[in-house]
Amino acid sequence: MIPHRVPRVLRLGPARLTAGLDHTRRLDLPAHRTLHGEPTTRDLDTLVSEVNEVDMRGRGGAAFPFGRKLRAVADAAAGRECVVLVNGAEGEPASSKDAMLLVRNPHLVLDGAILAAEALHAREVVVATAQGEVGESSIAAAVAERRAAKVAGASESHIQIRVVGIPERFISGEGGALVRGVNGLEAVPPGRKRRAAESGVDGLPTLLSNTETFAQLAILAELGPERYAEVGTSKEPGTVLLTVSGGAAHGAVLEAPTGTPLAHVLDLCEAEIGDGVLMGGYHGAWLPIDAAKTAEISREGMKLAGATLGAGIIVPLGETTCPIGEAAKVTSYLAAQSAGQCGPCRLGLPDLARAMRALAEGTGSTDAVRRAVRAVERRGACFHPDGTARFVLSALDAFENDIALHLEYGSCGRPIRGVLPMPETNDEPDYRLDVDWTRCQGHGLCAHLLPEFVDLDDYGFPSFRPVPAWMAKEARRAVEMCPALALRLARSGGGTRVRPAHRLAPSR
């Protein structure tokens, strides 16, 4: 399986996770074995000892100690069956590192997952990836390559491997959502926190970690702890995968030793910092230009700078786009991506998105945004509201000067160029509100419920602007609450109209 297009790779320092990718689009099994060899099986104590010696942490963003995860699953299983689950369902639009590994170096991921599975005596390895993407095809082809090698008599593991495609959404990579998706349910957070180590795939104890984590485990097994720690910092040895996009002339997945100055990464990618650099993705935080120039690529370095390394996402903003407009656009996206299972997600995030849009249009205030943040912070059933709140608050701090221009002049004078990566939205139609003028009595309630999309004339009668898909639920609420039953909601360009559920019964 040779993909036609692959994520671009750059590096600073030695090539480990990206070794061999200069010369081929994808490493098949023979090429992988030539480059990395076949890992030697470890028992659980040995594997945990090696992992703890280099303090390996999960690379999905939470940085949880991997050795503790291994022990937790082993203790929960206590001789029963367990499962290893690889989280490759990368729902974060600004990240490409998981896709790069699955597409270009899938066998390194599988080596690490199988090492963990053999140490835990697991029943199977499950690789969850974005449904219908090249990564799903590549990892499925890698599994087929291993089966063929096993039939041919090559020394390959007896562990069963299963690939599961998950519909791609921002929240689909959350641990509980991923487990639900693999179990055949909707891939949304379960609401009630359940540890995968205790009950995950098919209700079994499950070792759940990110794609890069398992690739790093394979590299650790290949090099041993001492050689693994030859690069990086003493507290965080090894390399890290970074996704650089936004205002970078050369967007890429970049491998660098921990401790590398952020400025070196930005220089290699010919990136303009502009008003700031987003670190850690859309649940991360903005670094202003001065902090970005001195920050180091590590968990500790980012914490000192006031940001988070997260999943290694770096998005320089550049100088030609509107900072607060970009932030407002992402906030709207995050509001649309919620599971809608709790008040902070269903009501609070749309309110926060409206407050950010008003700020970008020069009609809002930072106080209104902060009030909306307080309504969602630490109140959600999952981390999505908290992550969104962090993103918004850091934008208020980083773009203070730009916000002042918007509030004084209505704009900073720069267009919103869409520098921050966003997924394709062709399947998300806009909606329109229609009114039955024979019924409308000019109550104005629709303008109160949807102030961004409904304007009232001097007599209180409404005119409408297109309603984006992420606000469809709020528009339906306006339709339901119209006292005169005069509103209808339809897809732009035609389509089925959404009528009030409490419409009048037909005459008899």
Side-chain angles (χ1 to χ4, degrees):
M1 189 271 183
I2 302 177
H4 176 61
R5 298 181 64 185
V6 295
R8 183 179 182 182
V9 167
L10 297 174
R11 66 178 64 90
L12 288 167
R16 291 184 171 182
L17 301 173
T18 59
L21 299 183
D22 289 339
H23 310 294
T24 183
R25 291 197 293 270
R26 178 183 182 272
L27 291 170
D28 60 13
L29 184 57
H32 171 75
R33 288 284 175 251
T34 299
L35 190 62
H36 293 285
E38 187 166 348
T40 303
T41 300
R42 273 94 161 144
D43 60 35
L44 181 64
D45 289 339
T46 301
L47 190 62
V48 170
S49 176
E50 292 181 346
V51 164
N52 288 342
E53 190 171 341
V54 298
D55 191 22
M56 181 174 288
R57 304 293 184 100
R59 301 302 178 97
F64 192 84
F66 190 66
R68 285 173 57 185
K69 278 191 177 184
L70 284 165
R71 283 292 183 198
V73 173
D75 291 346
R80 298 184 296 122
E81 289 185 330
C82 62
V83 175
V84 170
L85 176 55
V86 181
N87 186 352
E90 198 167 42
E92 165 70 69
S95 182
S96 299
K97 67 170 186 172
D98 287 351
M100 187 281 292
L101 286 170
L102 293 173
V103 171
R104 304 195 64 181
N105 209 352
H107 290 286
L108 194 65
V109 178
L110 292 178
D111 275 355
I114 289 169
L115 274 168
E118 290 176 336
L120 290 167
H121 304 290
R123 183 182 75 179
E124 66 174 347
V125 168
V126 179
V127 183
T129 182
Q131 190 175 63
E133 297 295 327
V134 179
E136 182 182 17
S137 300
S138 177
I139 199 72
V143 173
E145 289 170 15
R146 287 176 179 248
R147 287 173 181 160
K150 187 175 180 180
V151 170
S155 178
E156 290 296 331
S157 173
H158 65 281
I159 298 290
Q160 297 298 310
I161 308 172
R162 177 161 57 105
V163 179
V164 178
I166 303 294
E168 190 171 12
R169 292 183 62 191
F170 186 85
I171 58 174
S172 60
E174 190 271 341
L178 192 75
V179 168
R180 283 174 54 87
V182 171
N183 286 338
L185 303 173
E186 185 181 5
V188 297
R192 177 177 295 180
K193 184 67 175 178
R194 298 182 66 183
R195 294 178 62 200
E198 297 172 355
S199 178
V201 176
D202 297 333
L204 298 173
T206 299
L207 176 69
L208 168 59
S209 203
N210 170 263
T211 302
E212 185 192 343
T213 312
F214 288 106
Q216 292 281 2
L217 183 63
I219 293 296
L220 174 63
E222 177 187 345
L223 299 178
E226 186 174 344
R227 288 181 59 200
Y228 184 90
E230 286 177 351
V231 300
T233 68
S234 58
K235 292 184 179 180
E236 301 174 40
T239 65
V240 61
L241 287 181
L242 309 166
T243 306
V244 186
S245 60
H250 305 297
V253 175
L254 185 145
E255 183 177 15
T258 55
T260 298
L262 173 59
H264 290 183
V265 173
L266 297 175
D267 286 346
L268 181 63
C269 296
E270 297 184 21
E272 291 182 351
I273 295 177
D275 288 70
V277 179
L278 179 63
M279 297 298 305
Y282 295 160
H283 278 175
W286 289 94
L287 279 181
I289 185 169
D290 291 340
K293 287 180 177 179
T294 59
E296 291 187 350
I297 299 295
S298 66
R299 297 189 306 273
E300 184 177 36
M302 284 297 118
K303 185 177 180 180
L304 289 173
T308 175
L309 183 61
I313 295 165
I314 301 175
V315 189
L317 190 60
E319 299 177 347
T320 62
T321 192
C322 170
I324 198 64
E326 294 278 356
K329 186 176 180 180
V330 170
T331 307
S332 296
Y333 163 75
L334 293 174
Q337 287 294 299
S338 80
Q341 297 181 122
C342 63
C345 271
R346 188 168 57 85
L347 302 174
L349 291 185
D351 285 344
L352 180 55
R354 284 194 290 267
M356 284 293 286
R357 288 184 59 164
L359 190 63
E361 293 169 359
T363 59
S365 70
T366 56
D367 287 343
V369 174
R370 293 184 189 278
R371 283 196 298 270
V373 165
R374 287 196 293 271
V376 302
E377 250 185 332
R378 296 185 295 278
R379 296 170 182 255
C382 69
F383 184 71
H384 186 56
D386 288 347
T388 305
R390 177 195 295 169
F391 171 84
V392 168
L393 290 177
S394 72
L396 296 186
D397 293 337
F399 306 140
E400 185 176 358
N401 293 336
D402 184 73
I403 291 170
L405 291 174
H406 279 259
L407 294 179
E408 185 170 358
Y409 302 108
S411 168
C412 64
R414 288 175 286 184
I416 303 171
R417 297 189 180 277
V419 168
L420 299 185
M422 298 290 281
E424 296 290 337
T425 57
N426 292 337
D427 59 341
E428 292 286 341
D430 282 354
Y431 292 82
R432 71 172 189 273
L433 285 165
D434 293 336
V435 63
D436 182 347
W437 294 111
T438 64
R439 289 176 177 244
C440 181
Q441 299 172 15
H443 292 96
L445 181 60
C446 53
H448 176 74
L449 294 172
L450 290 170
E452 305 88 344
F453 309 109
V454 183
D455 295 316
L456 299 180
D457 64 17
D458 293 339
Y459 301 97
F461 289 97
S463 61
F464 306 104
R465 282 169 285 190
V467 178
W470 66 271
M471 281 295 295
K473 290 181 181 178
E474 301 301 308
R476 289 189 180 96
R477 184 172 67 163
V479 168
E480 297 290 334
M481 295 184 69
C482 176
L485 307 181
L487 284 182
R488 302 290 185 271
L489 183 66
R491 291 186 176 184
S492 293
T496 304
R497 290 190 171 190
V498 181
R499 296 180 179 273
H502 59 291
R503 64 182 181 275
L504 295 175
S507 300
R508 291 178 181 269

